């Protein structure tokens, strides 16, 4: 896939400073494929966008679609982009804010489940959202997205 044709996603990584250090807000991917997984099943709240949509606007729109909450205001720290193993290019901004995970009302998606059953089921995009310390987040986040955690830690040092 050429870079111009690669699928692109944009997202917002919320962070907060606590007595225990930096924490980030990650979501556990919903649906049956990730139900019993922890490592590699957490992600920055993000979503795909079309080439004619500015990435920043897509990041804010996707935050609201995925979490059901208005994205917080605050300084947006560009964390750049990474290419995930599936070829998708992900662009992320960090915003310092506090958010109660219990307030999240996740968006949903529909897929055929079980496979080849002819039945469709609805699943949450993110089945839970949690504040995680940087080290714990690094253990569970989608591998390529760990670069965003490193860049945030560097920025916040």
């Amino acid at each position: 896939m050429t870079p111009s044709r690669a699928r692109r996603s944009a997202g917002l990584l919320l962070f907060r400073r606590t007595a225990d250090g930096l924490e980030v807000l990650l979501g556990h991917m919903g649906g049956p494929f990730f139900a019993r997984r922890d490592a590699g099943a957490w992600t920055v709240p993000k979503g795909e966008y079309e080439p004619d949509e500015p990435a920043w606007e897509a990041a804010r729109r996707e935050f609201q679609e995925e979490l059901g909450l208005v994205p917080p205001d605050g300084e947006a720290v560009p964390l750049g982009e990474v290419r995930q193993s599936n070829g998708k290019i992900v662009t992320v901004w960090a915003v310092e804010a506090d958010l109660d995970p219990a307030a999240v009302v996740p968006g949903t998606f529909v897929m055929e489940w079980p496979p080849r059953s002819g039945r469709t089921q609805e699943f949450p995009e993110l089945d839970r959202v949690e504040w995680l310390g940087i080290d714990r987040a690094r253990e569970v986040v989608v591998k390529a997205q760990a670069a965003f955690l490193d860049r945030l830690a560097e920025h916040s040092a």
Side-chain angles (χ1 to χ4, degrees):
M1 204 178 265
T2 61
S4 62
R5 296 179 59 204
R7 293 181 313 152
R8 299 187 74 87
S9 281
L12 297 180
L13 178 62
L14 297 194
F15 70 98
R16 65 184 183 184
R17 301 165 204 273
T18 72
D20 296 326
L22 208 56
E23 292 184 340
V24 293
L25 187 76
L26 295 179
H28 184 270
M29 291 182 269
F33 298 122
F34 300 100
R36 292 183 177 84
R37 288 184 50 199
D38 201 34
W42 291 78
T43 184
V44 172
K46 61 171 181 41
E48 290 188 21
Y49 65 100
E50 296 300 322
D52 62 340
E53 182 180 16
W56 169 246
E57 289 177 20
R60 291 182 57 81
R61 174 182 51 76
E62 286 295 335
F63 183 92
Q64 187 154 2
E65 286 179 15
E66 296 242 331
L67 302 183
L69 301 170
V70 175
D73 292 325
E75 178 191 354
V77 178
L79 298 180
E81 61 183 36
V82 298
R83 181 181 294 272
Q84 296 184 160
S85 60
N86 63 4
K88 185 183 290 182
I89 297 169
V90 180
T91 306
V92 167
W93 287 266
V95 176
E96 187 168 4
D98 203 352
L99 178 150
D100 179 1
V104 170
V105 181
T108 60
F109 67 96
V110 175
M111 67 179 280
E112 182 180 16
W113 190 258
R116 296 176 294 286
S117 67
R119 293 191 332 229
T120 58
Q121 289 189 46
E122 188 174 44
F123 298 97
E125 299 254 3
L126 300 172
D127 58 22
R128 61 190 183 277
V129 174
E130 293 179 18
W131 287 102
L132 302 170
I134 291 288
D135 290 339
R136 174 71 180 135
R138 212 177 266 115
E139 293 172 4
V140 298
V141 75
V142 171
K143 190 175 181 180
Q145 292 181 26
F148 297 132
L149 304 176
D150 296 338
R151 294 171 192 166
L152 175 61
E154 212 171 272
H155 169 80
S156 302

